[in-house]
Amino acid sequence: MIADMALPPPDPQFVLRGSSAEVHTLHFYCGGQEPDYPILFSGSSNGLIHVWNLKTRRVDTILDGHGGKSVHWVEAIYGRDRLLSQGRNQKICLWDLAEGRNTVTDSVLTENVGFCKCSLLKVAQGHWLMAMPGKDLDEPDFGSCPFLLAGYEDGSVILWNLSGGKILSRLACHQEPVMSLDFDFEKTKGVSGSSEEVLTVWSLDEQQNLKVQKTHKLINAGIADVAIRQDKKILATAGWDHRIRIFGWKKLKPLAILDYHTATVHCVSFSDHSRPSERLLAAGSKDHRISIWSIYNQTSGALHCPLETRKPD
C-alpha cells in the first residue's frame, strides 16, 4: 500500500478529565448491567481512585484510602463489588463497593515502597492468588501458584516455580530496570519494556527456559507500561515520550503511533468486551487525562505509522 493512501491514526473516541492528578493505573470492568458501557477504575498520584461511568463520561465515585500516596494498581474481583488497590503507602486495600458502599474492609502492609505492581490470578470461583513485591529483590511474596514471571531492576525477567520457591529461568532482557511486562499464555511468549529504547519479546520453551525472541528499537527511550489485547492480535505501549504505540503481536509490526497526550503516558489497558469490535483502549497520563480509543477496525495493517524522527517538544 502506498504510504499516502494509508489511513491516519484515529483520534481518541473521547477523553476523561477530572482526576486532577497524574493517572498511574487503569482497569476496565465490562460485566455490569450495561455491558456496552464498561466501568473504568483509575488510580492517581494523589492517592485517589476514580470510578468512571463511560456512559456519562463522568466520575461516579471517588475512593480515598491510601493517605495521599500514589495508587499504582487496581483490579476488580467478585464483579465490580470488590476492588483491590495498591498504593505507595505500602498498603494493599480491599474495598467493598456493593450497594453504593465505598469502604475498606481489609488491608495488607507490604515491605516494598517502589512501583512494582501486584499480580492477581483467579484459580477457582471466588478464589484468587496474589503476588506482591517484597523487600528482598530475589524472592517475591506469593501464594501456592505454580509459576510467576517477574521483572527486576537489573533488567532481567525471572520465571519462578512458586511451589518450591526456585528460579526456573533468568533472562537478561534489558540494561535498565524492567518497567512493565505482559505474557501470552497461548503462544507462551511475553513482552517487556524498560527505561531504555528497546521493546523486547521473549518466549518460554518446553524446558521452561526464557529466550529473547525479538527486539524493537524505539527512537525515544522509556516504556512505562505494556498490554496485550485479549484477542492476542495487538500490543499497546505507554511511552515516556507522550505517545501510545500499537504493534501487531504476531510479528511486532508497528501499526500506529497515537499522539494525543502532552506528558508521559503512564499506563494502558484494554477492555475485555466479548465482541472484539467493542473493545476499547484506555491510556492514562501525567497530564491528568485519560484517553479512550476504539481501534479494532483499524488494526488490519492499514494503519499509518508515522516516521519517528524527533523527540517530543
Side-chain angles (χ1 to χ4, degrees):
M1 179 176 287
I2 299 174
D4 289 342
M5 296 175 62
L7 294 173
D11 292 325
Q13 192 173 65
F14 55 90
V15 177
L16 303 174
R17 298 173 175 86
S19 67
S20 70
E22 299 181 26
V23 180
H24 279 275
T25 187
L26 294 165
H27 174 69
F28 279 103
Y29 173 67
C30 300
Q33 295 180 348
E34 295 186 271
D36 291 340
Y37 297 99
I39 297 166
L40 180 64
F41 298 93
S42 68
S44 301
S45 61
N46 59 3
L48 300 181
I49 300 164
H50 291 76
V51 185
W52 298 89
N53 182 327
L54 296 192
K55 184 176 182 179
T56 63
R57 302 178 187 179
R58 296 181 180 275
V59 174
D60 273 351
T61 308
I62 298 177
L63 310 175
D64 186 359
H66 289 281
K69 301 295 184 180
S70 178
V71 177
H72 53 268
W73 177 75
V74 292
E75 189 156 338
I77 59 175
Y78 293 106
R80 63 144 293 170
D81 290 343
R82 298 290 187 274
L83 183 75
L84 286 164
S85 64
Q86 177 188 8
R88 286 271 289 175
N89 62 337
Q90 299 176 259
K91 184 180 289 188
I92 299 168
C93 294
L94 175 64
W95 297 84
D96 178 7
L97 305 182
E99 299 177 348
R101 294 187 291 273
N102 55 5
T103 56
V104 175
T105 60
D106 202 356
S107 64
V108 176
L109 289 175
T110 68
E111 296 178 330
N112 187 275
V113 294
F115 288 98
C116 183
K117 300 178 181 180
C118 293
S119 182
L120 200 65
L121 176 67
K122 186 174 183 179
V123 294
Q125 186 65 34
H127 184 202
W128 289 263
L129 293 174
M130 183 173 67
M132 60 185 183
K135 190 173 183 180
D136 189 334
L137 293 178
D138 291 328
E139 295 189 11
D141 297 326
F142 48 78
S144 57
C145 172
F147 300 107
L148 175 71
L149 282 164
Y152 288 82
E153 289 189 0
D154 65 359
S156 66
V157 172
I158 294 178
L159 176 68
W160 289 87
N161 180 338
L162 299 187
S163 61
K166 296 180 180 179
I167 293 176
L168 294 178
S169 182
R170 180 195 294 262
L171 180 65
C173 294
H174 304 276
Q175 296 180 353
E176 299 292 337
V178 176
M179 304 300 295
S180 181
L181 61 83
D182 201 358
F183 189 71
D184 178 349
F185 291 94
E186 296 175 7
K187 298 181 178 67
T188 62
K189 69 175 185 176
V191 60
S192 56
S194 74
S195 55
E196 58 190 350
E197 300 95 340
V198 176
L199 187 66
T200 302
V201 174
W202 31 269
S203 59
L204 182 65
D205 65 19
E206 293 180 355
Q207 287 72 43
Q208 299 174 339
N209 293 316
L210 293 166
K211 296 180 180 179
V212 173
Q213 188 178 86
K214 189 171 184 178
T215 60
H216 178 81
K217 182 78 170 180
L218 302 169
I219 296 296
N220 300 325
I223 296 294
D225 197 14
V226 296
I228 303 168
R229 196 169 61 186
Q230 287 83 348
D231 61 5
K232 310 300 189 295
K233 290 186 177 181
I234 64 172
L235 163 76
T237 67
W240 290 5
D241 65 353
H242 316 170
R243 297 182 175 101
I244 305 153
R245 286 174 175 79
I246 307 297
F247 297 86
W249 177 226
K250 185 177 181 180
K251 297 182 178 179
L252 206 64
K253 178 183 177 181
L255 297 179
I257 299 170
L258 308 181
D259 192 0
Y260 167 77
H261 291 281
T262 58
T264 295
V265 181
H266 288 306
C267 51
V268 285
S269 179
F270 287 107
S271 71
D272 59 352
H273 284 94
S274 57
R275 285 183 286 186
S277 61
E278 297 177 350
R279 290 174 185 155
L280 300 172
L281 169 66
S285 172
K286 184 179 180 180
D287 64 14
H288 302 184
R289 288 175 285 182
I290 300 170
S291 56
I292 307 294
W293 308 78
S294 178
I295 57 175
Y296 186 85
N297 293 331
Q298 287 86 18
T299 58
S300 62
L303 267 171
H304 176 49
C305 188
L307 294 175
E308 297 189 270
T309 56
R310 65 178 179 87
K311 296 181 182 292
D313 297 330

